[in-house]
Amino acid sequence: MKFSLGAVAMLASGISGVFGAPPMTPQQRDLLTLVETRDVDERSSELAPRAPTCNTPTNRGCWSPGFDINTDFEVSWPVTGVTRTYTLTLTEVNNWLGPDGVVKEKVMLVNNKIMGPTIFADWGDMIHVTVINNMVSNGTSIHWHGMHMRNTILHDGANGVTECPLPPGKSKVYRFRATQHGTSWYHSHFSAQYGNGIVGAIQINGPASLPYDIDLGVFPIQDYYHETADRIVESGGAPPSDAVLFNGTTRNVVTGKGQWYNVTLTPGKRHRLRLINPSAENHFQISLVNHNFTIIAADLVPVNAQTVNSIFLGVGQRYDVTIDANQAVGNYWFNVTFGGQGLCGVSNQVSPAAIFRYSGAPATLPTNPGTVPVDHQCNDLDNLTPVVSRTITPATFNPTTNNTLPVQLDPAGGPIFIWKINGKSINVNWDKPVLEYVLTGNTSYPASDNLIHIPQANQWVYWLIENDPDGIFSLPHPFHLHGHDFLIVGRSPDAPPGNQVRYKFNPATDNGRLRGANPPRRDVAMLPARGWLLIAFKTDNPGAWLMHCHIAWHVSGGLSVDYLERVQDIPGTVSTQDRNEFNQNCADWRAHTPLYPKIDSGLRMAM
């Protein structure tokens, strides 16, 4: 993907009027229709009741005999004997009327919806998802974001890495066990699809670190663009989003089109809400007027409860929170705002918001607009403590060329840029994925796969990511790792990204900033602008695992490496059935003639 200098300049200067401050008067948000959601019974047809359990509103830490909130799910998990089956049918629709009332030239839908169906399961269940590609012009692959895929690497859904794309007219079954519990999402890892609509949520029921009464379910918040992904990518820009969707719904307060998304709270009860950011580019600051959030999980990692009045939600990240309905019965704005001087997303939508309405309140608009929360400056919370602890010894970390990954915006002729990490821009081969080399014993890996080999087993490996400290301009990046949760060992000092303060890692001064005693752990973390991020993970999951920026424009432009972890052990984790299906799908793909040429890294170019 190409990235224009003009787009960088636009981001650097910010865009006035699009930072999503709450409206000053309720008249600015005239009521059309409240989309009532989060009825607890709405999911009964999706997930059959479990056997009697110790997991009750007063004891959410318990789950089943031998498994509770203190269980290390990287070591052990339940085996329920239950298989949850789903079918996702992917289609293309032209001239589609969007949720904000604007016709979009092309969208790609899951089961005829812009937000696909939620995958529900219990901790330890097997999940089987049949994906049917009924699109005309595109292949596809579906990635199950954050799921570790232990012993099921061929189902990770990263085309060019773990599989060939699924061609039009074909279907395949993804199979994996829910070894973790919590909240996540799925999306296409092929070309323009993820941004054009092929996305959905995952809810794995399990124990929690805080009692609660009602599970409100998943709450995805995402950016939305009127232009198609392909055209945006080809234009070389990163435009403001045209709308912010709340579970696929939005209300345009300027045109009066669309609908308010409504969530019902029960007075006096504590509610669990599962926040997801499946955006292409926008990071969000979220707040609920007159209410706090208590964080109980970050991505798929349970954490000790921490109460905040607003949350920064980066692209790809999830937070499970509880909300106490302890205010007067009424209606309250759930607001989305933007910070970081416009360098972690902006939108043309005025005051994106949803409505949280207490049961018994009239169906009217909230009257209190609330206040804009503190600017998080595109930074994650750095004081979350996982329930299941990890301890490492990073105090003597020494950066070398073998453990340092520089990120760069690389000029490629005039005002156009591509993205590099570790000196290369990834460009996968759809026809011959990395795991085909592994399974056939071929070690002639192309340089364009940007592989990093990690042969050692069950050891902590450290990776210092440095964000172009000497480049012309630097943006924050949400880095996501497949196959693992990583420890956030440290990051550069906090600074507004617009100030472009240069921080290059210096062991003499920065080793004191590192945290080895139970640091935050997750699968997406923000790399500060012109700063650094030090992460670590344990080599206990053989596979080919991408680590990439989750901003669609950036991974489309090549901002990814591929960790080839314990290559010698990978074949032993692959079943005969998986290998046969892998070979057949690649044969089907090679027999297919794509309608359009591959124009990006092959991993994603989104909305």
Side-chain angles (χ1 to χ4, degrees):
M1 173 257 177
K2 297 178 179 179
F3 193 93
S4 73
L5 183 59
V8 173
M10 178 181 71
L11 288 172
S13 61
I15 300 177
S16 62
V18 297
F19 294 103
M24 296 307 296
T25 65
Q27 288 74 23
Q28 291 176 273
R29 286 170 164 163
D30 57 309
L31 184 66
L32 179 63
T33 302
L34 296 177
V35 180
E36 187 64 34
T37 63
R38 302 306 170 215
D39 184 340
V40 183
D41 294 330
E42 73 176 338
R43 300 186 302 276
S44 59
S45 63
E46 301 280 356
L47 189 61
R50 297 192 306 117
T53 175
C54 59
N55 185 263
T56 64
T58 58
N59 185 15
R60 293 295 185 186
C62 190
W63 186 247
S64 63
F67 299 96
D68 58 28
I69 191 63
N70 295 304
T71 301
D72 186 345
F73 56 49
E74 293 186 11
V75 176
S76 63
W77 47 84
V79 176
T80 63
V82 175
T83 298
R84 309 291 180 182
T85 60
Y86 293 86
T87 299
L88 306 180
T89 302
L90 314 184
T91 54
E92 297 177 32
V93 178
N94 296 325
N95 300 317
W96 183 73
L97 182 62
D100 60 350
V102 176
V103 174
K104 183 168 179 173
E105 179 182 356
K106 182 184 288 290
V107 294
M108 297 173 181
L109 306 179
V110 184
N111 295 4
N112 296 315
K113 294 184 178 181
I114 192 70
M115 176 60 62
T118 299
I119 303 297
F120 293 100
D122 287 332
W123 186 22
D125 289 349
M126 283 297 297
I127 299 173
H128 290 184
V129 185
T130 299
V131 175
I132 303 171
N133 184 3
N134 281 345
M135 296 183 292
V136 176
S137 59
N138 279 243
T140 196
S141 70
I142 304 299
H143 171 58
W144 316 94
H145 182 108
M147 308 306 293
H148 288 172
M149 293 293 166
R150 295 181 185 275
N151 299 311
T152 51
I153 175 61
L154 294 186
H155 298 270
D156 189 52
N159 50 213
V161 179
T162 63
E163 64 180 83
C164 293
L166 177 67
K170 299 292 184 177
S171 66
K172 70 171 294 182
V173 181
Y174 290 91
R175 296 182 296 271
F176 56 95
R177 186 175 298 280
T179 60
Q180 304 141 272
H181 54 83
T183 304
S184 202
W185 59 298
Y186 61 87
H187 59 82
S188 169
H189 235 301
F190 177 102
S191 288
Q193 294 160 4
Y194 153 43
N196 280 336
I198 297 185
V199 63
I202 300 173
Q203 177 175 324
I204 310 298
N205 297 315
S209 63
L210 193 70
Y212 61 86
D213 300 295
I214 299 170
D215 191 337
L216 295 171
V218 297
F219 193 55
I221 310 168
Q222 68 185 116
D223 54 12
Y224 177 77
Y225 300 81
H226 295 153
E227 190 57 274
T228 63
D230 312 69
R231 294 185 187 276
I232 292 176
V233 170
E234 291 171 354
S235 72
S241 64
D242 291 298
V244 174
L245 305 186
F246 299 86
N247 203 14
T249 300
T250 193
R251 170 71 165 166
N252 188 317
V253 300
V254 176
T255 66
K257 300 295 180 68
Q259 297 176 321
W260 294 113
Y261 192 74
N262 184 262
V263 176
T264 299
L265 300 178
T266 301
K269 298 296 184 179
R270 176 175 291 167
H271 305 74
R272 178 176 184 168
L273 186 67
R274 302 166 181 265
L275 300 163
I276 309 170
N277 184 350
S279 292
E281 193 267 347
N282 282 182
H283 311 280
F284 303 122
Q285 298 177 158
I286 59 173
S287 58
L288 177 60
V289 174
N290 286 354
H291 293 76
N292 290 325
F293 301 121
T294 299
I295 299 170
I296 60 173
D299 297 346
L300 283 165
V301 178
V303 300
N304 293 308
Q306 179 174 331
T307 300
V308 296
N309 56 25
S310 65
I311 291 176
F312 173 81
L313 187 63
V315 174
Q317 293 183 333
R318 294 87 65 210
Y319 280 100
D320 286 37
V321 302
T322 64
I323 301 170
D324 290 333
N326 54 12
Q327 299 298 303
V329 171
N331 300 296
Y332 297 86
W333 288 120
F334 182 101
N335 290 311
V336 163
T337 59
F338 297 89
Q341 302 82 55
L343 297 188
C344 46
V346 291
S347 181
N348 290 326
Q349 182 171 4
V350 176
S351 305
I355 297 173
F356 278 51
R357 179 169 61 86
Y358 278 60
S359 179
T364 58
L365 287 175
T367 57
N368 181 358
T371 58
V372 178
V374 63
D375 193 334
H376 291 254
Q377 303 295 353
C378 313
N379 288 321
D380 294 325
L381 287 170
D382 63 358
N383 59 349
L384 297 173
T385 58
V387 172
V388 176
S389 181
R390 299 276 187 271
T391 298
I392 56 174
T393 54
T396 58
F397 174 77
N398 183 42
T400 69
T401 56
N402 292 326
N403 61 23
T404 301
L405 304 175
V407 170
Q408 296 170 309
L409 258 177
D410 187 42
I416 303 299
F417 296 89
I418 58 174
W419 293 96
K420 289 186 176 182
I421 181 171
N422 202 30
K424 299 185 184 71
S425 180
I426 201 170
N427 187 7
V428 301
N429 185 349
W430 286 337
D431 290 348
K432 195 174 180 66
V434 171
L435 287 185
E436 182 168 321
Y437 288 85
V438 173
L439 296 177
T440 59
N442 183 351
T443 59
S444 300
Y445 306 107
S448 59
D449 283 327
N450 209 6
L451 295 175
I452 296 177
H453 295 262
I454 310 177
Q456 60 268 42
N458 299 313
Q459 295 185 27
W460 287 100
V461 289
Y462 295 78
W463 303 96
L464 176 66
I465 312 171
E466 292 194 314
N467 194 357
D468 212 1
D470 299 315
I472 58 172
F473 192 77
S474 180
L475 297 169
H477 298 281
F479 264 87
H480 169 55
L481 176 62
H482 292 212
H484 290 276
D485 297 319
F486 52 75
L487 279 61
I488 303 174
V489 184
R491 72 183 186 209
S492 52
D494 293 348
N499 292 357
Q500 295 289 291
V501 179
R502 179 184 184 275
Y503 288 111
K504 191 173 179 65
F505 186 87
N506 181 351
T509 57
D510 290 324
N511 272 336
R513 299 182 57 83
L514 305 184
R515 178 176 168 185
N518 202 23
R521 187 169 74 248
R522 58 190 316 161
D523 60 62
V524 182
M526 294 300 296
L527 171 65
R530 211 178 286 278
W532 55 266
L533 178 72
L534 181 62
I535 65 170
F537 62 89
K538 192 175 184 179
T539 56
D540 59 1
N541 193 14
W545 306 117
L546 289 172
M547 186 178 74
H548 59 87
C549 175
H550 223 292
I551 292 175
W553 328 117
H554 299 178
V555 68
S556 177
L559 190 44
S560 176
V561 296
D562 186 5
Y563 290 114
L564 196 53
E565 179 183 345
R566 296 168 57 182
V567 64
Q568 70 278 7
D569 297 326
I570 294 174
T573 70
V574 177
S575 69
T576 300
Q577 179 183 9
D578 282 355
R579 188 185 295 247
N580 290 340
E581 291 176 357
F582 173 90
N583 291 335
Q584 183 59 56
N585 184 61
C586 280
D588 291 341
W589 173 255
R590 289 165 189 152
H592 166 69
T593 302
L595 293 180
Y596 301 104
K598 177 173 172 286
I599 65 171
D600 71 339
S601 69
L603 295 173
R604 182 186 305 113
M605 62 178 185
M607 194 162 77

